[in-house]
Amino acid sequence: MTTTVNPYLDGNFAPVRTEIVGEDLPVKGEIPPDLCGIFVRNGPNPQFAPIGQYHWFDGDGMLHGVEISNGKAHYRNRYVQTKGWQTEHESGRAIWSGLLEPPKMDNPHGAYKNVANTALVWHDGRLLALWEGGEPYQIKVPELETLGSYTYGDQLKTPFTAHPKVDAVTGEMMFFGYSPFQPPYLYYSLVSAEGKLVKTVPIDLPVGVMMHDFAITEHYTLFMDLPFTFRPERARRGEPVMGFEPESPSRFGIVPRHGDNSSIRWFESPACYVFHTLNAYEEGDEVVLLACRMNRTNVLSDSVDETTLDAPGIDVDERSHASSPRLYEWRFNLKTGAVIEKPLDDIASDFPRVNEQHLGRATRYGYTARISPQPMPLFDGLIKYDLLSDRSQVHEFGKGRYGGEAVFVPRPGATAEDDGWLLTFVHDQVENTSELVIVNAQDITAQPVAQIKMPQRVPYGFHGVWIAQG
Ligand SMILES: [Fe+2]
């Protein structure tokens, strides 16, 4: 298979190059009057034509924000102006190549560019744009201006995952940083509710692995040491340095929230890969993990075509292909050491989210983006899982319309876990326009309650956040 145009620089994967503001956007339906705040989504948007092969993960971070109040919506998009973005901006061209090219160790600006393009977290009144290989960037709200890298008063000495976990009850934020080649390969950190980085402890792993996400419960933190490894000896043989090892076990480490490497307990199950967890919680002697599990991954292979076929959940034939992510449950028994894993669905989906007011506690509902059976990572609907009754419902975006991760926004004053809305950008391929879609989470098969038309196309991206007003 040959590719003339990189599919990740084409269609609605292609970057937009203008940073604009759009006031009082047209709305189909009605924006709920009690929905007040700002929705911000991060994603890759290369500032310049790339050097060499381009991977979807390479693009400079761009934030798309929709501010909503009193039934009206306003849009703005801004690059995350990282140090690398600024250096390339001043040069007027790309300086760094991407993940599919060998790193240029002699680059005076560093071998890799922190693109801050993956996700966002709101903690202690501060918005951070995240990339798992480096430090966070602080973003001014609602302007979406980059204030600079944020290192907790110089206390941060490790990379910072794109998926930190905030405990809504205690206000604490847990995060980790992994290092592909340097033992101990993993560091675990905790930020207090007051925004102070109170501890960073090493966690021993046998070898460096790509660790994209983790999970918390009320008392524990759960790490996934999955066999997608970094081995320098592969590079010496002329192979990609990253590889999936189907014969190796998946290891799950459970550590008390305030514990360290001496108190971690490891559980094993067959080889798999997980990009994203939905949630985890404690039940009796068990720690329960819910996540989107793949039998294997090759997401950072050196071939764009292979990447296209093996990226999260991409499957050309059917939604239930073996390498596509599906919602799974693991039960780790802290008393007996037993592990039970089982699929909760055979439909492929990823980008799982819950009502984060309940993160780390048992949740009845989970929301994922359903994967469209096509070569590219396109999401054609949202799935709402009722984990209590073992049932699911689907919100279809409609023919030729694709979205992404939906963020759950609780209705102010809500008592029911699913009383709120799901927000996601949807692109219409025929019209080549984008909308922010607002779906009633208690009635997800219905038409969206509001479709807010964006003043320009919003490229497909990664993760978003909702920041409630006030
Ligand atoms: Fe992610």
Side-chain angles (χ1 to χ4, degrees):
M1 202 187 330
T2 55
T3 312
T4 47
V5 178
N6 185 314
Y8 291 105
L9 296 171
D10 198 20
N12 196 43
F13 288 92
V16 292
R17 294 271 158 68
T18 45
E19 296 176 298
I20 64 167
V21 172
E23 304 279 359
D24 198 1
L25 304 173
V27 181
K28 183 179 170 190
E30 193 188 347
I31 299 174
D34 44 356
L35 182 64
C36 292
I38 180 168
F39 174 76
V40 189
R41 202 218 61 200
N42 204 345
N45 198 94
Q47 183 182 194
F48 296 111
I51 299 171
Q53 293 187 84
Y54 176 76
H55 189 284
W56 196 26
F57 296 173
D58 290 337
D60 299 287
M62 181 177 272
L63 306 176
H64 301 266
V66 181
E67 219 181 324
I68 297 173
S69 63
N70 304 318
K72 295 196 180 302
H74 319 286
Y75 167 86
R76 86 183 72 207
N77 65 314
R78 293 289 182 271
Y79 277 108
V80 186
Q81 296 190 2
T82 63
K83 294 177 190 115
W85 183 94
Q86 288 173 347
T87 303
E88 292 187 333
H89 194 72
E90 284 155 19
S91 302
R93 64 182 177 86
I95 291 172
W96 281 268
S97 51
L99 294 168
L100 299 179
E101 299 289 336
K104 292 208 168 39
M105 304 311 282
D106 58 351
N107 185 338
H109 306 289
Y112 291 99
K113 178 173 61 168
N114 176 351
V115 283
N117 69 359
T118 314
L120 295 148
V121 68
W122 175 255
H123 184 244
D124 185 37
R126 191 178 293 114
L127 182 63
L128 301 176
L130 306 172
W131 180 72
E132 68 193 44
E135 73 274 25
Y137 276 84
Q138 189 180 355
I139 305 298
K140 190 176 178 191
V141 181
E143 295 84 352
L144 304 187
E145 285 165 18
T146 305
L147 298 173
S149 64
Y150 190 76
T151 58
Y152 293 90
D154 230 13
Q155 295 298 300
L156 179 69
K157 306 291 183 195
T158 69
F160 193 107
T161 174
H163 293 292
K165 304 295 176 215
V166 177
D167 183 329
V169 177
T170 68
E172 293 167 303
M173 177 168 70
M174 279 56 73
F175 73 91
F176 66 89
Y178 71 87
S179 116
F181 302 111
Q182 284 293 321
Y185 303 113
L186 180 63
Y187 289 91
Y188 168 42
S189 299
L190 196 145
V191 180
S192 69
E194 295 74 35
K196 194 168 164 17
L197 179 48
V198 289
K199 73 159 190 179
T200 296
V201 295
I203 303 284
D204 289 329
L205 302 182
V207 63
V209 291
M210 183 178 170
M211 192 180 290
H212 185 67
D213 200 352
F214 73 141
I216 60 163
T217 69
E218 191 178 347
H219 301 102
Y220 297 99
T221 296
L222 198 157
F223 295 104
M224 299 184 291
D225 176 18
L226 308 177
F228 190 31
T229 59
F230 294 88
R231 294 197 188 269
E233 58 268 33
R234 287 198 195 103
R236 287 195 285 273
R237 293 197 298 262
E239 300 166 10
V241 72
M242 297 190 69
F244 185 73
E245 301 177 14
E247 306 302 322
S248 300
S250 296
R251 300 171 72 241
F252 297 84
I254 299 177
V255 61
R257 178 176 292 182
H258 297 274
D260 58 27
N261 191 58
S262 66
S263 48
I264 196 163
R265 286 190 60 186
W266 289 100
F267 296 79
E268 290 191 1
S269 70
C272 72
Y273 196 71
V274 170
F275 275 97
H276 299 118
T277 63
L278 174 72
N279 198 11
Y281 59 94
E282 296 155 32
E283 192 173 81
D285 295 332
E286 293 178 324
V287 169
V288 182
L289 170 68
L290 301 157
C292 293
R293 177 192 184 277
M294 307 152 78
N295 284 345
R296 62 187 174 88
T297 185
N298 259 327
V299 74
L300 289 184
S301 91
D302 61 347
S303 149
V304 168
D305 292 331
E306 199 181 331
T307 302
T308 302
L309 291 172
D310 282 348
I314 296 142
D315 169 39
V316 287
D317 299 320
E318 52 183 16
R319 293 183 200 276
S320 58
H321 188 278
S323 65
S324 298
R326 287 178 288 167
L327 190 62
Y328 255 70
E329 179 192 270
W330 290 257
R331 288 180 171 268
F332 306 103
N333 191 308
L334 296 172
K335 214 170 209 172
T336 66
V339 183
I340 301 170
E341 68 170 21
K342 66 170 186 185
L344 298 183
D345 197 357
D346 54 9
I347 300 294
S349 69
D350 207 312
F351 287 135
R353 296 290 293 247
V354 289
N355 178 343
E356 286 175 1
Q357 297 299 307
H358 302 270
L359 194 72
R361 277 80 180 169
T363 36
R364 175 169 179 176
Y365 302 104
Y367 310 92
T368 64
R370 190 177 69 177
I371 293 165
S372 178
Q374 304 186 47
M376 293 298 286
L378 295 170
F379 298 88
D380 59 13
L382 302 175
I383 306 178
K384 177 186 183 182
Y385 288 98
D386 180 342
L387 301 162
L388 196 65
S389 70
D390 206 16
R391 277 197 283 243
S392 62
Q393 292 178 300
V394 176
H395 177 86
E396 309 259 2
F397 295 135
K399 195 172 186 308
R401 291 163 55 86
Y402 301 99
E405 177 191 73
V407 172
F408 179 88
V409 179
R411 185 189 304 274
T415 50
E417 184 196 317
D418 63 344
D419 187 4
W421 305 275
L422 296 166
L423 272 58
T424 187
F425 287 118
V426 171
H427 178 251
D428 186 309
Q429 287 196 327
V430 175
E431 306 277 337
N432 195 25
T433 55
S434 298
E435 295 172 344
L436 179 70
V437 165
I438 302 173
V439 175
N440 179 348
Q442 290 185 322
D443 190 12
I444 88 151
T445 59
Q447 286 294 305
V449 294
Q451 293 165 252
I452 306 168
K453 191 165 184 195
M454 295 295 112
Q456 71 177 2
R457 189 171 63 76
V458 176
Y460 297 126
F462 301 135
H463 302 283
V465 70
W466 172 259
I467 305 162
Q469 203 173 65

